[in-house]
């Protein structure tokens, strides 16, 4: 096995084609977060982004995108943003993890959404977690017929709220692939406010993430297309979602809605409309990502398993990084795994978020930078 490391501006068309072929060869790698286009997007804004190319007999057979710092600490590309991570490879290819890290100049490699198939990393997985997915197929009729067939328990309530929304605010319509940049800015503003309101880290307060989402929204390739979907009542945007899709998989990523319309359940409307429209556009799987949310339990048809952990080789930096990161992850996972802890933690975060919103330096601001 020959391993070379490249910046993403060095990724040739032939290497991208080989990467796409490896994705197509295994259903585990159909997720758009595993496409070179996502990694290239990260590489535009993160100086430490690299890809290791594995070759057998001179032919590229595997690709590991990652980020690294000056101390040799590596992490999966887009860690904290990506909901699917892997060394994308052709069937039958394997590797020695320590040799791989050595070739990349890494002492440790951190991941948190690793696909289960990655057996050479198996010894380094510290925990596996459910990642709910929704298998979809086109309906025989319109949205209402699809909803009654797919989710009979939800259909009556959701359709009633949609009719009420239509009466109060204007005819309800849904655009699966909205190209208006203003709608994307509205989504980011809603999401930014939601993060701050609930005490979470506001991703859209980071200019590079705003710029990344704006860039990805313009990518339109077979293995990665940025899709902005918007639910309108008349001309009023009610809810929106932005996420990438491949030819068969749509990744649920950023969803938000107008909080003044929360009593209509616009978030649930958005997810249901998105699933039905995605099926009509050729998607067969909606990946909702790791994490416990009530709407995921309502919508999922099954679960995948993803792993988190630290692949490492003997090195003082690797030991120090594990000692620093593992307790933080362990505490987070303990809270998330126990509803009796998760509820109080959510309430505490919302209280802190409310204080920040009303008294902090962000009070009165309209949302993230969108330049």
């Amino acid at each position: 096995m020959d391993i070379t490391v490249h910046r993403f501006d060095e990724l040739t068309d032939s290497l991208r084609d080989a990467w796409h072929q490896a994705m197509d060869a295994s259903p585990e790698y159909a997720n758009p977060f595993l496409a070179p286009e996502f990694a290239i997007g990260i590489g535009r804004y993160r100086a430490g982004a690299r890809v290791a190319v594995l070759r057998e007999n001179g032919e590229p057979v595997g690709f590991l995108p990652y980020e690294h710092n000056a101390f040799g600490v590596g992490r999966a590309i887009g860690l904290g943003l990506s909901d699917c991570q892997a060394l994308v490879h052709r069937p039958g290819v394997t590797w020695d993890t320590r040799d791989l890290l050595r070739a990349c100049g890494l002492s440790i490699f951190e991941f948190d959404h690793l696909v289960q198939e990655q057996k050479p990393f198996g010894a380094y997985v510290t925990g596996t977690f459910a990642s709910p997915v929704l298998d979809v197929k086109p309906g025989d009729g319109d949205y209402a017929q699809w909803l009654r067939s797919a989710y009979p328990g939800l259909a009556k309530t959701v359709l009633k709220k949609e009719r009420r929304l239509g009466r109060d605010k204007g005819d309800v319509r849904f655009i699966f692939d909205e190209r208006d940049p203003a709608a994307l800015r509205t989504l980011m503003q809603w999401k930014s406010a939601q993060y701050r309101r609930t005490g979470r880290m506001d991703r859209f307060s980071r200019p590079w993430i705003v710029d990344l989402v704006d860039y990805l929204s313009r990518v339109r390739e077979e293995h990665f297309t940025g899709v902005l979907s918007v639910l309108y009542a008349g001309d009023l945007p009610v809810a929106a979602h932005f996420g990438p899709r491949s030819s068969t998989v749509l990744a649920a990523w950023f969803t938000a809605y107008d909080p003044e319309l929360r009593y209509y359940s616009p978030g649930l409307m958005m997810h249901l409309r998105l699933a039905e429209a995605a099926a009509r556009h050729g998607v067969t799987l909606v990946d909702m990502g790791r994490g416990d949310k009530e709407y995921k339990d309502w919508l999922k048809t099954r679960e995948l398993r993803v792993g988190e952990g630290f692949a490492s080789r003997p090195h003082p930096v690797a030991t120090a990084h594990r000692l620093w990161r593992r307790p933080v992850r362990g505490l987070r996972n303990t809270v998330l795994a126990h509803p009796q802890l998760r509820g109080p933690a959510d309430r505490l975060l919302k209280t802190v978020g409310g204080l920040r919103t009303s008294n902090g330096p962000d009070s009165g601001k309209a949302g993230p930078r969108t330049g």
Side-chain angles (χ1 to χ4, degrees):
M1 183 71 70
D2 179 50
I3 302 172
T4 56
V5 174
H6 306 262
R7 296 192 307 270
F8 284 99
D9 57 6
E10 301 171 339
L11 200 63
T12 65
D13 289 343
S14 62
L15 286 175
R16 287 178 63 177
D17 288 344
W19 192 331
H20 289 151
Q21 290 168 13
M23 290 181 67
D24 293 340
S26 301
E28 295 90 348
Y29 303 143
N31 192 293
F33 283 121
L34 302 182
E37 289 78 13
F38 176 72
I40 290 169
I42 296 289
R44 290 171 62 95
Y45 306 102
R46 305 287 285 177
R50 299 288 187 273
V51 57
V53 179
L54 285 63
R55 290 181 172 87
E56 288 182 343
N57 300 319
E59 186 176 0
V61 295
F63 301 85
L64 176 68
Y66 65 95
E67 300 175 51
H68 76 99
N69 66 19
F71 300 101
V73 173
R75 43 190 274 163
I77 196 82
L79 188 78
L81 290 174
S82 168
D83 286 339
C84 190
Q85 301 149 5
L87 190 159
V88 179
H89 63 85
R90 293 186 183 180
V93 171
T94 189
W95 62 90
D96 181 273
T97 298
R98 290 187 176 182
D99 288 346
L100 173 64
L101 296 183
R102 190 174 296 109
C104 295
L106 302 177
S107 60
I108 193 167
F109 172 69
E110 182 177 357
F111 50 86
D112 64 356
H113 286 77
L114 191 75
V115 300
Q116 197 169 27
E117 184 274 342
Q118 302 276 279
K119 292 181 181 178
F121 287 133
Y124 304 95
V125 172
T126 58
T128 62
F129 304 88
S131 185
V133 298
L134 170 59
D135 297 286
V136 293
K137 58 183 179 180
D140 295 328
D142 60 13
Y143 166 74
Q145 289 176 300
W146 173 87
L147 182 60
R148 292 187 183 100
S149 174
Y151 296 99
L154 289 175
K156 183 177 180 180
T157 299
V158 172
L159 291 173
K160 181 178 179 181
K161 289 187 175 184
E162 285 200 5
R163 288 192 295 270
R164 185 185 307 157
L165 176 63
R167 289 195 302 269
D168 294 346
K169 301 296 181 180
D171 291 342
V172 175
R173 58 191 177 90
F174 178 76
I175 298 179
F176 177 69
D177 190 7
E178 173 64 88
R179 308 308 304 279
D180 184 359
L184 182 61
R185 290 193 295 271
T186 296
L187 169 61
M188 289 192 280
Q189 289 169 357
W190 283 341
K191 197 67 179 177
S192 180
Q194 178 190 338
Y195 284 139
R196 288 181 278 124
R197 189 170 60 248
T198 57
R200 267 70 175 182
M201 188 276 288
D202 179 7
R203 291 173 175 173
F204 291 115
S205 68
R206 300 186 176 186
W208 79 267
I209 295 181
V210 173
D211 293 340
L212 171 68
V213 170
D214 183 65
Y215 166 77
L216 293 177
S217 72
R218 300 190 300 272
V219 177
R220 307 188 73 78
E221 303 287 347
E222 178 184 356
H223 295 81
F224 188 103
T225 295
V227 179
L228 172 66
S229 302
V230 183
L231 181 69
Y232 291 95
D235 293 327
L236 178 71
V238 173
H241 168 269
F242 176 76
R245 64 159 294 181
S246 65
S247 58
T248 58
V249 177
L250 173 68
W253 204 14
F254 295 114
T255 304
Y257 56 85
D258 184 343
E260 293 185 3
L261 303 176
R262 61 188 178 277
Y263 296 112
Y264 297 98
S265 301
L268 182 58
M269 289 183 194
M270 181 74 234
H271 287 291
L272 290 167
R273 288 273 186 172
L274 184 65
E276 188 271 340
R280 286 191 281 104
H281 285 79
V283 168
T284 59
L285 184 76
V286 178
D287 188 336
M288 294 184 282
R290 171 185 164 184
D292 294 319
K293 296 290 184 180
E294 190 174 36
Y295 77 86
K296 294 182 182 182
D297 288 335
W298 289 341
L299 301 182
K300 70 182 180 183
T301 55
R302 57 190 173 96
E303 294 176 344
L304 305 178
R305 303 294 296 183
V306 296
E308 71 173 31
F310 306 86
S312 63
R313 58 191 178 94
H315 196 283
V317 170
T319 301
H321 188 76
R322 277 198 306 272
L323 289 174
W324 170 53
R325 290 287 290 160
R326 287 192 70 170
V328 175
R329 280 196 173 178
L331 177 61
R332 181 201 65 192
N333 292 335
T334 298
V335 170
L336 293 177
H338 294 84
Q340 66 270 31
L341 298 177
R342 192 166 63 244
D346 275 341
R347 288 192 291 273
L348 176 60
L349 286 172
K350 288 177 181 178
T351 299
V352 173
L355 292 173
R356 286 176 178 173
T357 301
S358 59
N359 300 321
D362 290 334
S363 179
K365 291 186 178 179
R369 184 181 74 85
T370 56

